[in-house]
């Protein structure tokens, strides 16, 4: 028996792969971050497999039970609300537990928000550092100071409510002239990428109310 990690679209439902649809139809159970959100996708592709919730608030409590189910003969697929599970979403604890118990884990390739944001940024992508979400409070300044010395391109996730604050902090720690790119609503109708210096991006999103989910790509430190 096996655990399947199945990426789901970050925006456009057509980004679902044929293989992902087949796997979700064939498994015995789908673990979803939010069953209500996932029901839209599953209904669209006529997937009637039973679903249970598996999110960051219950992940620690449910991992052992899921492992027992798989070892008992149940094929299970894990999905998140959008993108690839375990990338800034629940999934790592379950994958680790399955690996430790000798259960086969198969991760399908598919949607991940930071890849299109990185490629379309125009910044160097031969080497990059994925940070995801920064700590909101404790450890945030220490992390920013540490990242200010990073020499490869850096990638961050951020909400619309903190985008200007985060860009402002980047400007303080990295320098206002550091090149960066901000992508929002990737693969959706209002997808947009804005490029420029951190100072220019702060001005843009101060004047234009930020909406949607954001990926920030920041150039690494260069020798002056």
């Amino acid at each position: 028996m096996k655990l399947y990690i199945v990426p789901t679209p970050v925006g456009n439902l057509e980004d679902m792969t044929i293989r992902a649809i087949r796997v979700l139809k064939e498994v015995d159970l789908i673990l979803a971050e939010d069953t209500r959100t996932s029901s839209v996708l599953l209904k669209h592709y006529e997937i009637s497999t039973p679903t249970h919730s598996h999110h960051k608030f219950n992940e620690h409590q449910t991992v052992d039970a899921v492992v027992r189910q798989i070892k008992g003969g149940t094929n299970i697929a894990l999905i998140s609300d959008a993108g690839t599970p375990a990338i800034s979403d629940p999934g790592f604890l379950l994958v680790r537990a399955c690996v430790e118990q000798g259960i086969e884990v198969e991760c399908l390739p598919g949607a991940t928000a930071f890849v299109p944001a990185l490629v379309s940024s125009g910044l160097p992508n031969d080497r990059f550092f994925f940070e995801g979400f920064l700590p909101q409070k404790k450890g945030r300044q220490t992390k920013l100071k540490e990242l200010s010395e990073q020499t490869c391109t850096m990638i961050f996730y951020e909400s619309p409510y903190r985008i200007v604050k985060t860009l402002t902090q980047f400007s303080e720690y990295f320098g206002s002239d550091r090149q960066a790119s901000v992508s929002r609503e990737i693969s959706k109708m209002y997808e947009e990428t804005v490029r420029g210096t951190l100072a220019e991006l702060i001005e843009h999103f101060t004047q234009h109310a930020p909406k949607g989910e954001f990926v920030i790509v920041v150039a690494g430190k260069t020798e002056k």
Side-chain angles (χ1 to χ4, degrees):
M1 296 298 103
K2 187 185 296 187
L3 171 68
Y4 293 90
I5 306 300
V6 182
T8 54
V10 296
N12 194 319
L13 290 181
E14 293 179 2
D15 292 339
M16 194 73 169
T17 69
I18 295 172
R19 182 181 170 203
I21 296 168
R22 176 182 61 78
V23 168
L24 292 180
K25 287 182 175 182
E26 291 179 352
V27 295
D28 303 303
L29 176 67
I30 297 171
L31 297 180
E33 186 177 1
D34 187 324
T35 55
R36 293 165 300 181
T37 300
S38 296
S39 67
V40 177
L41 175 72
L42 300 178
K43 183 178 180 180
H44 180 81
Y45 286 106
E46 300 179 343
I47 299 168
S48 57
T49 306
T51 60
H52 287 174
S53 71
H54 183 85
H55 46 71
K56 64 181 180 180
F57 301 108
N58 72 359
E59 190 175 18
H60 285 84
Q61 290 76 34
T62 58
V63 163
D64 290 342
V66 173
V67 168
R68 286 196 296 271
Q69 278 185 283
I70 299 174
K71 295 185 82 169
T74 305
N75 279 312
I76 293 179
L78 175 67
I79 61 176
S80 62
D81 289 346
T84 301
I87 303 296
S88 294
D89 278 323
F92 163 69
L93 293 178
L94 179 56
V95 170
R96 182 178 64 180
C98 286
V99 170
E100 290 174 347
Q101 291 294 318
I103 295 171
E104 184 177 355
V105 177
E106 185 173 332
C107 183
L108 279 62
T112 302
F114 77 78
V115 174
L118 171 63
V119 173
S120 63
S121 71
L123 295 171
N125 56 28
D126 55 328
R127 292 174 59 246
F128 59 88
F129 181 87
F130 176 71
E131 178 64 29
F133 288 99
L134 284 165
Q136 290 189 31
K137 294 180 180 178
K138 185 177 180 181
R140 187 178 178 94
Q141 291 183 335
T142 301
K143 175 62 70 173
L144 285 168
K145 187 174 181 180
E146 174 188 316
L147 292 170
S148 68
E149 299 299 318
Q150 181 63 254
T151 57
C152 63
T153 301
M154 298 172 285
I155 306 167
F156 306 87
Y157 286 164
E158 192 51 278
S159 78
Y161 311 107
R162 294 190 297 268
I163 188 72
V164 173
K165 174 186 175 182
T166 297
L167 289 171
T168 300
Q169 289 181 318
F170 286 170
S171 178
E172 293 170 357
Y173 283 86
F174 305 158
S176 60
D177 60 346
R178 183 79 68 92
Q179 290 292 318
S181 171
V182 177
S183 296
R184 69 180 189 92
E185 296 292 82
I186 290 173
S187 189
K188 296 180 183 177
M189 182 180 295
Y190 298 106
E191 179 175 356
E192 176 187 37
T193 294
V194 184
R195 306 170 185 85
T197 64
L198 287 169
E200 291 168 340
L201 292 171
I202 292 167
E203 182 179 0
H204 174 86
F205 288 106
T206 299
Q207 295 177 356
H208 301 83
K211 296 179 181 179
E213 297 300 317
F214 286 79
V215 183
I216 309 171
V217 184
V218 184
K221 180 181 180 180
T222 57
E223 295 296 331
K224 294 185 179 180

